[in-house]
DNA sequence: ATGGATTATTAGGCAAACCTAATATATAAT
DNA sequence: ATTATATATTAGGTTTGCCTAATAATCCAT
């Protein structure tokens, strides 16, 4: 039974979402996946079983899901497509960086490997997307993540924004409004008590960021400002 | 009930297909639509009813379907998207013209008007796709069709290929192999008896084309070679 | 170790787009 | 006018991907 539709789109969204969440924790609770995709845990559970049968992931009940090598490769291929389209949309079509995530997400499912590679050629094989995130290789390998979350810095510490985890369009628009962008210098000035919001300095402007937001901004820390304990952590 | 899927894709395919067929006849038999989309007449009939309820077309039983103004506008918008993507794929990504039709067809459904117009800007507002077909305006208006079918020419007559109706990937590949492309000079040499295939000369090569194929190649006739009867027809 | 919260599964449904088989209706051709 | 052919509709079924409500299994914290 043929459909004019591409029903594989859902599968791709699941794999991509799981891969994105996997950078935070492993294995990933099914609840997170459901929430991120905006669907019920029942539906997520069902689909995860289907993906498990196809050996794209492994599910340990009450723990979460882990992608298999094949699953991760597939996920990274999709992420590669999305990020290349993001580059195209910003660099060539002059669409602002806070809009391209959602637009590219729609294009990615309509793109085969032939177009993907032609696009990569055309763009000059960029290594990061407009949000600063690395672009996986043709073979589906993701470069190791860099930077530490802004949320982990304490007052006085700072650095340059490496990348922004593109969780939602709202987050990106929120940051774009405040002109908080990859490549910019940022410094933590204050943290409200009881693990409250951070006050940060960017350019000559001060802003207050919630913990959830700060967790998605990845920083290349400025070593001079860094406490020695944190330095140890980073250097290994 | 939200879906990760875009269920509007089918609707878009129906409208586009009907608009494309409408250049041949009006109203269009539902059978033609079903056949072109590769689905049963029952399914086509169902969907056509749905589209009729939404005032996108009108169906006269045992006659066929006509798009309403709104339906045609929508169809042309979709065709605009597809043809712009075709330009992008050939001009920028260097993908051969016989491949771009299907690839662009997938991208068109994932493209909103913002991206469409940015793409048109970027490409320098091309007026025809790589197959020579006109690109509808932003407002969804299709320029009047030009040229006459190669199949209508008789031996001795010829002209330049204006455009090729992109019915199927197979047809395009067939023509690409023989290097029968828009812009090229072509001449009919012979027609086999009983409305048989045409022998044509293109460059310094002779080829034999079936009636079905010849009907989809649109020619700007070379007036010197043309019989006077046909001349009258064309000039009105 | 036990109770409360989290996580999983089962059961039953819905909508979109397809399908086949059978039937009804209109057009066209004799 | 009748009949054969083409077209349309009805009935019943499938798959994918989602839903809610209810139940079952496990984890964790006291």
């Amino acid at each position: 039974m043929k459909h004019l539709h591409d029903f594989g789109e859902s599968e791709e969204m699941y794999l991509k979402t799981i891969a994105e969440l996997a950078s935070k924790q492993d294995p990933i609770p099914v609840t997170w996946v459901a929430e991120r995709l905006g669907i019920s845990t029942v539906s997520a559970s069902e689909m995860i079983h289907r993906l498990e049968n196809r050996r794209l992931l492994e599910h340990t009940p009450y723990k979460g899901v882990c992608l298999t090598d094949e699953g991760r490769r597939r996920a990274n291929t999709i992420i590669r497509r999305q990020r290349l389209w993001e580059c195209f949309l910003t660099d060539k079509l002059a669409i602002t960086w806070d809009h391209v995530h959602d637009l590219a997400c729609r294009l990615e499912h309509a793109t085969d490997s032939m177009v993907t590679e032609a696009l990569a050629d055309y763009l000059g094989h960029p290594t990061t997307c407009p949000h600063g995130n690395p672009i996986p290789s043709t073979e589906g390998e993701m470069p190791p993540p860099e930077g530490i979350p802004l949320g982990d810095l304490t007052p006085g510490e700072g650095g340059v924004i490496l990348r922004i985890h593109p969780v939602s369009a709202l987050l990106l628009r929120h940051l774009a409004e405040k002109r908080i962008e990859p490549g910019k210098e940022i410094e933590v000035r204050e943290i409200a008590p009881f693990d409250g919001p951070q006050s940060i300095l960017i350019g000559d402007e001060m802003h207050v960021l919630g913990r959830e937001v700060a967790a998605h901004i990845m920083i290349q820390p400025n070593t001079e400002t860094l406490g020695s304990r944190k330095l140890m952590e980073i250097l290994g």
Side-chain angles (χ1 to χ4, degrees), chain A residues 180-194:
Chain A
I180 296 173
E181 298 159 7
K184 284 205 180 171
E185 197 80 39
I186 195 168
E187 194 190 315
V188 177
R189 279 306 180 87
E190 206 185 317
I191 298 184
F194 305 106

Side-chain angles (χ1 to χ4, degrees), chain A residues 84 87 91-92 117-128 135:
Chain A
L84 285 170
C87 289
D91 297 355
K92 306 294 183 179
E117 298 318 312
L119 181 63
D121 264 13
Y122 176 60
L123 296 172
H125 298 277
T127 56
T128 64
I135 296 177

Side-chain angles (χ1 to χ4, degrees), chain A residues 148 157 221 223 226-236:
Chain A
I148 61 168
E157 297 176 339
T223 44
L226 220 54
S228 62
R229 186 192 45 76
K230 206 158 283 144
L231 241 175
M232 305 267 283
E233 263 176 43
I234 294 162
L235 300 176

